[in-house]
Amino acid sequence: IPLLRRALAMSKRPLLLFASPWTAPAWMKSNGDVRGKGTLKGKAGDKYHKTWANYFIKFLDEYAKRNVTFWAVTAQNEPLAGLFTPPQAPTIAFTAAQQRDFIAQDLGPALARSPHRTRLLMLDDQRIHLPHWAKVVLGNATAARYVAGLAVHWYLDAIVPPAWSLEATHKLFPDHFLLYTEACTGFFMFR
C-alpha cells in the first residue's frame, strides 16, 4: 500500500489498478492446498463459490479503507495454467464453462451488489484460448452483462496469429475490450 500510494502520488494522471488472484485458501480447494492442480470445491452458486466471490469484495473493501481503489479485477490468473503448473505454484484451475458459471452466479452479482465500481475482466490467460473462451463466457448473456473486457497474456503468442485470436474475438464481441495484462521475457529457459 505505501508503494501504491507513492506511485499514485508521483503520477501526472490517475493510475488504473487491477488485481488478479492466484489462489483461494486451501480449505476452499479440491486438493486442500493453495499450491497445485486444484479447483474450487463444489460448483458455481454453492457456499465455496459465494465465499470466494466475497473474498474479492473484502479485498476491495480493505484497500478502499486505505484510499486505494481498483479499476478492475480478473476472475482468475491463468485459469488453464492451473491444470499444467508445477505442483508448487499457487493456482486455481477453471475451464471456460466453470469461469462463466462463477462469473454469472457468484462473482458478477457480488461485484454488482458491492459499493465498488470495479470492472470485471475474464480469461487472464494466453490468447491462444481465444476466441473459444470468449464464446463460452460471453456467449452467456448473464455472464456477459458482468464482464467489461478480456485480459490476455502474451507468452504463447507465436502459436496463434492475432487475426485468429484477438481480431476474431473483437469481431464477435466488439463491446468488450481486450487488454494485455501480463508479459515478460526470459520465461523460456532455452532462450
Side-chain angles (χ1 to χ4, degrees):
I1 291 173
L3 290 174
L4 285 175
R5 283 191 181 145
R6 284 179 57 200
L8 291 165
M10 292 170 56
S11 179
K12 292 181 177 158
R13 59 182 182 186
L15 295 180
L16 300 177
L17 304 175
F18 80 93
S20 186
W22 280 62
T23 187
W27 66 269
M28 297 173 87
K29 288 184 57 189
S30 61
N31 66 347
D33 195 331
V34 296
R35 301 160 300 177
K37 299 172 175 77
T39 61
L40 282 178
K41 289 180 182 175
K43 61 182 182 176
D46 71 8
K47 66 180 182 178
Y48 297 104
H49 287 71
K50 297 267 182 245
T51 301
W52 183 230
N54 286 329
Y55 265 67
F56 283 75
I57 306 309
K58 288 183 181 295
F59 168 86
L60 295 170
D61 289 345
E62 290 303 314
Y63 273 88
K65 287 177 188 176
R66 290 149 181 89
N67 295 317
V68 177
T69 58
F70 286 84
W71 167 74
V73 294
T74 73
Q76 174 60 38
N77 180 63
E78 295 190 353
L80 280 180
L83 299 173
F84 308 108
T85 91
Q88 296 304 312
T91 187
I92 304 173
F94 276 100
T95 64
Q98 288 168 326
Q99 188 172 84
R100 173 199 63 214
D101 296 345
F102 175 58
I103 289 169
Q105 296 179 43
D106 305 298
L107 184 56
L111 280 169
R113 285 189 308 268
S114 82
H116 307 287
R117 297 300 59 145
T118 305
R119 290 165 179 80
L120 177 58
L121 307 182
M122 55 163 275
L123 184 57
D124 206 17
D125 209 330
Q126 312 311 315
R127 73 173 166 90
I128 62 171
H129 304 304
L130 295 175
H132 167 74
W133 199 280
K135 288 178 184 178
V136 172
V137 176
L138 299 177
N140 177 286
T142 303
R145 179 174 71 228
Y146 295 117
V147 174
L150 292 85
V152 292
H153 298 182
W154 81 331
Y155 305 110
L156 303 176
D157 279 4
I159 296 172
V160 176
W164 295 1
S165 56
L166 300 176
E167 189 176 329
T169 301
H170 177 67
K171 284 180 180 177
L172 290 168
F173 304 101
D175 295 332
H176 292 82
F177 62 84
L178 295 153
L179 176 68
Y180 270 95
T181 55
E182 187 178 316
C184 72
T185 59
F187 61 93
F188 286 127
M189 295 303 181
F190 59 84
R191 288 189 154 171

